[in-house]
Amino acid sequence: SGPGRARRQIDPAAVLRPPATVDEWRAGLDDEVRTGIDAIEADPGVCTDVGAGRGDLDATELAALLNAHRARQDARAWAGGQRSRFAGLHMDTRSPVSPAYLDALLRRPNVLTRTYRTSSGRLLGFATMIDERNPAAFHHWAAVPRSDGGRPGLHRHAYAQAVTRAIERGASEL
């Protein structure tokens, strides 16, 4: 920054400083949120898998879902008359994610990737987490919309799992 210097607003970030225990964090959630998270765990139609350094995933499938998810969110914001997508940002400054980039990211040993699939194997959503202690980061998120057979509540579940991991690893921030 400085006088006369061009500035550009970027995507804002929310930071969570995790409490000492998962139970303490869960106790602070609304009943509806806790119930929704638990419902995903109990749903036999939703299969979740998580791991670091994943070479078993189809990065082309995940990149297509991520790029479609971002495009839907922007289209919904503009169609709804929102002046900006969030926090005053007037356009999505992120470029489409390439399968090659995503493939390299998913294979990193410090990146946890959680996938959500139907019992028949159809991809419903995925999340990535940079699994570091100082700080950890909930990175990419994408899901199939409800209108196309997606399952509500997956984002909350994915975030809850990231918070749990951050607490268990003693991360200072997420």
Side-chain angles (χ1 to χ4, degrees):
S1 72
R5 227 180 144 150
R7 293 182 313 153
R8 175 173 73 121
Q9 187 169 0
I10 60 170
D11 292 347
V15 176
L16 170 71
R17 288 185 175 73
T21 68
V22 173
D23 289 339
E24 183 182 341
W25 178 73
R26 282 184 58 95
L29 299 176
D30 286 343
D31 290 341
E32 178 185 333
V33 173
R34 266 193 315 278
T35 300
I37 292 167
D38 295 341
I40 296 297
E41 290 284 334
D43 187 342
V46 176
C47 304
T48 184
D49 188 30
V50 66
R54 307 263 319 250
D56 61 319
L57 299 173
D58 180 351
T60 300
E61 177 186 35
L62 298 181
L65 181 62
L66 178 59
N67 292 326
H69 181 90
R70 288 178 173 181
R72 268 192 327 276
Q73 288 199 320
D74 282 347
R76 184 175 58 218
W78 288 104
Q82 265 181 275
R83 247 185 97 222
S84 61
R85 191 163 57 84
F86 59 86
L89 188 64
H90 295 283
M91 63 182 170
D92 190 341
T93 57
R94 300 171 295 184
S95 347
V97 172
S98 74
Y101 162 79
L102 204 51
D103 185 60
L105 177 73
L106 302 177
R107 291 173 184 272
R108 289 178 46 175
N110 67 332
V111 174
L112 288 179
T113 305
R114 177 175 299 277
T115 57
Y116 294 90
R117 294 186 183 274
T118 64
S119 52
S120 64
R122 179 178 179 233
L123 181 65
L124 294 172
F126 81 98
T128 60
M129 175 184 178
I130 310 298
D131 191 24
E132 298 288 344
R133 290 189 66 220
N134 297 308
F138 188 71
H139 194 216
H140 291 300
W141 165 255
V144 172
R146 196 180 307 187
S147 61
D148 289 338
R151 172 71 163 80
L154 296 180
H155 182 263
R156 284 181 176 173
H157 183 269
Y159 189 74
Q161 299 308 308
V163 171
T164 298
R165 176 71 178 186
I167 291 169
E168 289 170 349
R169 297 243 312 134
S172 59
E173 293 180 348
L174 175 65

